[in-house]
Every structure is written in structure tokens, then in C-alpha cells.
Amino acid sequence: MTARPATRACAAMLRGHRILVEDARAVVDGYTRQCSVLVSTRDLAMMAATLAYHGMNPLSGEQVVPKPVVRQVLSVMFSCGMCDAAGDWGTQVGIPAKSGVAGGLIGALPAQIGIAASSPRPDCHGNSVRGVSLSERFSSDMGLHVMEVPATARATLRTSQVVSSGPHTLRALQLQGGMGFVGAERIVGETVDTSYAVTGVALDLTRVHSVDDVARRVLTEVMRRLMSDGHEVYLVDPDSVMPAPDPGEGGRVTVVNSLDEAVAAQEGLPRARLTPA
């Protein structure tokens, strides 16, 4: 495959304006080779799935693309991957995508889905007519637009209820999903801004699969403030998604494997393990 004169001319112009820093002919040659790779729709789907899976091949489990590179690639795909149709694509489909002049198209939505299509007939922008139509249908029917996200803050707190009675009552806050800043902020509003008529408060992470660094710091501060208000604080964390919490200032969090253990500890039974600050 030989590059068209117009492509070489564009590369020379970009080189003249110092946008390209390498030799224009070498850049065009590399670009042409990339455009000449023979792939099937299955290959394209695997590429898309790998990008959606944070650079890890979903079949082999091998990290083939570093996560920072995936972030950069998806950002470029979302902003200009569909060439002159990038603006319409972003509003109507809302999935980071890349089209090819041969009719190939891939889309990757982080941690959700990787899709691919291959149909040679292009539209006026050089994108696959059927590929674009299919992607629009997917996005509409399955709610895949990047701006259509669930109300994370509300979904994070599953329940908040008193689970024991008597002089040593315990309120349990059952959390769920992946904890980020927005979700952790919801817990701040539930705990710090609320006066609990109980002596103990348990944060139940049984249904939580991850806690990022920001959420970890926020939750640690929540526990510190609860203790400063005179509450005994329990962390139900059977999978150690938030190991060794340290609220500081001489505080101590009781880490248990189940809510039953927190109730038992609150009632004075020696069934919990303590994690000193």
C-alpha cells in the first residue's frame, strides 16, 4: 500500500509547522503500515475489549497495554477518533471510538464494553454507514452513552438501620459497589451531618468490591469523626478491601468479618479482632 500524494503533502506541511518532529516520510510510512494491517471483525472486537478492560487482554489476562496509555488512547478516540463526525458521534453515541477507511470501527467504554463492526461502505465523513448505525443502536438500546451514568452517590449506601437493641445499640451502614469520591461523600452526609442515638456505628463493606485512595481517606476521616463524637466504630470488611484503617489521634477501629461479629463486639462478646491505630 502506497501513501497518496495528498497524505505526503499534509505530512510535509505539518513538519514545516513543527507539529511533526520526525521525518515526514518516515511518519507517513508508519501511518501507511498501520492502515494496512489485515484484521477481522473478531480481531477488532478483541482490540476494543482490551481497551475497555484497562489494557488487559480479556482472554489471556495479560496486561498488553499500560493503563496510562489506554487512558490517553481513549481520550484521543473520544475527541477525534471519528474524524469530522466526532462532534455528532460524541453527542449521539457517546462512546470512545475509532473508524478506518476500509470500513472497520471499534468502540470501547471503560469497564463496560468493547464493540466492533466491519462494513466497507463509508458515509460522507469516511466512516462505515452500518458501523455507525449499529453503534447508535447499541448506545440507545443499552444506555451506553458515557454521560448516562447511574446516580453513584445514591447507589453507594444500600441501607442504614439499627441492628441491635438495648443500652449498646448499633447502627449499620451497608455500602455497595465501587467506592470513589462521590460515593464516599454520600457517607459523609449520612454520618457526620446526622446525630445518631446509638453508641456504635458499623460501616459494612461486605458488598463493596473496591475502595480507591480518595474514598479510603474520606471514610477514614468519617470514622475518626464518629469516634470523636463518642461512638464505637466497627468496620465489617471480610475481603480486606480497606485494610488497616488508621483514624489517628489514638482512635481504634474494630475490624470484623461480619455484621454479627460487630453486634457481638458491641454487646461485649470477645469475637472481634482489633486493629490499633
Side-chain angles (χ1 to χ4, degrees), residues 145-158:
H145 197 291
V146 69
M147 298 302 176
E148 291 186 13
V149 295
T152 306
R154 294 182 180 180
T156 300
L157 181 61
R158 182 180 176 85

Side-chain angles (χ1 to χ4, degrees), residues 200-223:
V201 178
L203 297 182
D204 188 352
L205 306 185
T206 303
R207 295 175 177 267
V208 174
H209 57 75
S210 64
V211 179
D212 69 17
D213 183 63
V214 174
R216 175 189 172 87
R217 283 181 280 160
V218 172
L219 291 179
T220 300
E221 176 63 14
V222 165
M223 291 186 286

Side-chain angles (χ1 to χ4, degrees), residues 82-171:
M82 299 300 287
C83 303
D84 290 343
D88 290 338
W89 178 274
T91 56
Q92 296 173 12
V93 182
I95 300 175
K98 181 68 185 80
S99 64
V101 294
L105 190 155
I106 65 171
L109 204 55
Q112 294 193 52
I113 192 173
I115 60 176
S118 181
S119 182
R121 184 161 68 93
D123 59 17
C124 61
H125 300 293
N127 301 321
S128 169
V129 172
R130 291 179 176 175
V132 170
S133 178
L134 174 67
S135 299
E136 290 177 346
R137 179 73 177 272
F138 262 122
S139 179
S140 176
D141 290 354
M142 301 175 64
L144 297 178
H145 197 291
V146 69
M147 298 302 176
E148 291 186 13
V149 295
T152 306
R154 294 182 180 180
T156 300
L157 181 61
R158 182 180 176 85
T159 60
S160 175
Q161 58 186 341
V162 175
V163 295
S164 64
S165 60
H168 301 292
T169 55
L170 179 71
R171 175 169 290 276

